[in-house]
Amino acid sequence: MANGAMALLINSRSQNWLPERWKARFEAVCGERRVVLVPDAWVDPAEVHYAAVWKPRQGALAAFKNLRAIFNLGAGVDALIADRRLPNVPLVRISVPDLTSRMTEYVVLHVLMHHRQEPYLRKSQRETLWEPKYQWPASAVTVGIMGLGTLGADAAEVLARFGFRVVGWSRSARTLVGVECFHGSAQMSAFLHKSNILVCLLPLTDDTRGILNRDAFAKLDRMSPLGAPVLINAGRGGLQNEDDILACLDDGTLGAASLDVFVQEPLAKRSRFWAHPNVLLTPHNAADTDADEISKYIAAQISRFEAGGTLENVVDRARGY
C-alpha cells in the first residue's frame, strides 16, 4: 500500500481496552489505510508504516522494518522504552483534552473524598450512625502535586479554584498561577513538608522509580484537619513502594491512600490493598482513554506528518517521557 498499514497491538481484553473497539474507530478515521489487529490478523510486516499500541509484548514491534512512528494509546511509555528491540522511530505520547479532563476529574474526585470525609461517612452509613463531624474549609488543606506537566498543571489549576492551597513539584522549574512551585531534588523536601494530600502524576523513569516511599511520607505535613497525610497515586505503579505504603497506613504515617496503579496489574487477589480500611482502590482507570478522540488525534498526526509536518509530543527516550 502506498500509504502503509496501521497495526494495532493492544494487549488487553478488559472492556475499556477491547481491540475490536479500537479497530473500528481507527477504520472510521483512517480512510483507505488498512488497519489490522496484530497478531489476530496477518499482515505483511513490510506494509506496516504506523503502529498504535497498548502494552505490546516485548519485541513485538521489531518485525516492522518500515515503521515510521509508534503511537502509545495510554499516557505511560515506560514499558515501551524498556523494550530493547523497540524500533528507532518517533514514539508519540497521547495528549488530548479528553485525557487531561479525565485525569483532573479523578484527582479532584479523590481529593474531595478525603477532604469531605467520605470514607468516614460511608462507614457511618453502613453502621446506621448519624454523627456528622466538623467539616473544615478547602483552604485549610494543602494539596501537593508531583508532576506539573499537562495533567498535573490542569489538576492544580482546578483544585486552586476550589479553594485548596496548592503546591507543586517538577523536575525543572515551572510557573503556574495560584500554585507555589518547587523543582529539582534540592527542593523536594520543602515541597513535601507543605503537603497534606500528596498527588503523584509523575512519569516512571529511573529517577522516579520508588519515589513514593516511607522517607517521602514521613516528610509530609501532619498539621492539618486531616490529621495524618493522604496519598493519591494516579501516575504509574512503579512509582510506589507498596510495602512502605501498607506499613505507613498501618502505623499512621499515612492516614489514607487512593491508588489507581500498582506494580503488578491486575492486582493480585491476595493483596492487602483490596480490603485495607484506609485505601480507596481503582483498577487503573483514572484517565481511561477515549477511542474516538485518540483515533482522530492519531489520524490527524499522520496526515500532517505525511504532508511534511512534524509529529507532536514525541518522547525523549533519554529522559523517559
Side-chain angles (χ1 to χ4, degrees):
M1 297 182 67
N3 57 1
M6 163 73 77
L8 302 182
L9 290 81
I10 301 173
N11 187 21
S12 174
R13 296 303 306 179
S14 63
Q15 183 179 359
N16 58 333
W17 280 101
L18 288 177
E20 296 80 7
R21 173 171 169 262
W22 284 93
K23 183 175 185 290
R25 297 302 190 273
F26 273 102
E27 287 178 332
V29 298
C30 282
E32 297 182 357
R33 188 184 306 278
R34 185 183 177 196
V35 179
V36 293
L37 288 176
V38 177
D40 297 346
W42 184 87
V43 62
D44 181 352
E47 288 187 10
V48 175
H49 288 183
Y50 303 98
V53 305
W54 175 244
K55 297 183 177 181
R57 292 179 174 85
Q58 296 280 299
L61 291 161
F64 305 126
K65 303 302 182 183
N66 294 324
L67 203 60
R68 301 184 67 189
I70 302 166
F71 298 89
N72 192 52
L73 296 174
V77 297
D78 48 282
L80 275 174
I81 292 176
D83 185 350
R84 295 185 178 182
R85 298 177 62 197
L86 190 70
N88 187 25
V89 299
L91 173 57
V92 180
R93 288 184 297 107
I94 298 302
S95 179
V96 295
D98 176 76
L99 187 149
T100 301
S101 296
R102 290 175 186 230
M103 181 59 82
T104 294
E105 287 175 0
Y106 181 92
V107 171
V108 172
L109 169 67
H110 282 264
V111 167
L112 287 175
M113 281 200 292
H114 294 290
H115 163 59
R116 293 303 301 255
Q117 307 175 76
E118 275 298 299
Y120 166 76
L121 294 173
R122 298 290 68 80
K123 180 175 182 291
S124 296
Q125 180 180 353
R126 292 191 298 272
E127 297 175 356
T128 63
L129 179 66
W130 190 280
E131 193 172 316
K133 293 182 177 180
Y134 167 72
Q135 179 58 54
W136 50 86
S139 59
V141 175
T142 300
V143 181
I145 298 184
M146 300 179 78
L148 295 177
T150 301
L151 302 181
D154 191 70
E157 179 184 348
V158 174
L159 288 167
R161 290 206 304 267
F162 269 85
F164 291 100
R165 301 190 301 258
V166 182
V167 297
W169 180 89
S170 54
R171 175 176 171 172
S172 54
R174 293 291 307 274
T175 301
L176 296 175
V177 176
V179 179
E180 184 179 2
C181 296
F182 299 82
H183 70 278
S185 57
Q187 295 184 8
M188 173 65 82
S189 291
F191 159 76
L192 293 171
H193 284 314
K194 290 202 169 191
S195 301
N196 306 133
I197 298 177
L198 179 65
V199 177
C200 188
L201 298 176
L202 290 169
L204 180 60
T205 68
D206 290 341
D207 291 334
T208 62
R209 187 175 298 277
I211 197 170
L212 300 175
N213 54 43
R214 177 175 284 279
D215 287 345
F217 305 147
K219 293 175 182 177
L220 295 173
D221 177 32
R222 308 180 67 82
M223 303 302 292
S224 83
L226 291 166
V230 172
L231 169 67
I232 299 173
N233 184 16
R236 305 293 291 168
L239 297 167
Q240 62 196 27
N241 182 317
E242 295 178 352
D243 288 340
D244 280 6
I245 292 175
L246 287 167
C248 288
L249 287 168
D250 291 343
D251 67 20
T253 302
L254 288 174
S258 288
L259 302 174
D260 184 58
V261 290
F262 298 88
V263 174
Q264 297 295 329
E265 296 179 357
L267 186 64
K269 297 289 187 182
R270 65 181 180 277
S271 172
R272 286 186 60 212
F273 284 117
W274 288 107
H276 199 289
N278 296 323
V279 172
L280 297 176
L281 184 156
T282 51
H284 202 152
N285 72 334
D288 259 358
T289 309
D290 180 76
D292 290 326
E293 292 299 317
I294 298 305
S295 59
K296 292 175 187 176
Y297 170 84
I298 291 175
Q301 283 250 45
I302 291 174
S303 294
R304 184 170 56 250
F305 180 59
E306 292 187 335
T310 59
L311 294 167
E312 300 174 347
N313 300 306
V314 175
V315 171
D316 181 338
R317 297 196 188 193
R319 298 176 68 181
Y321 57 93

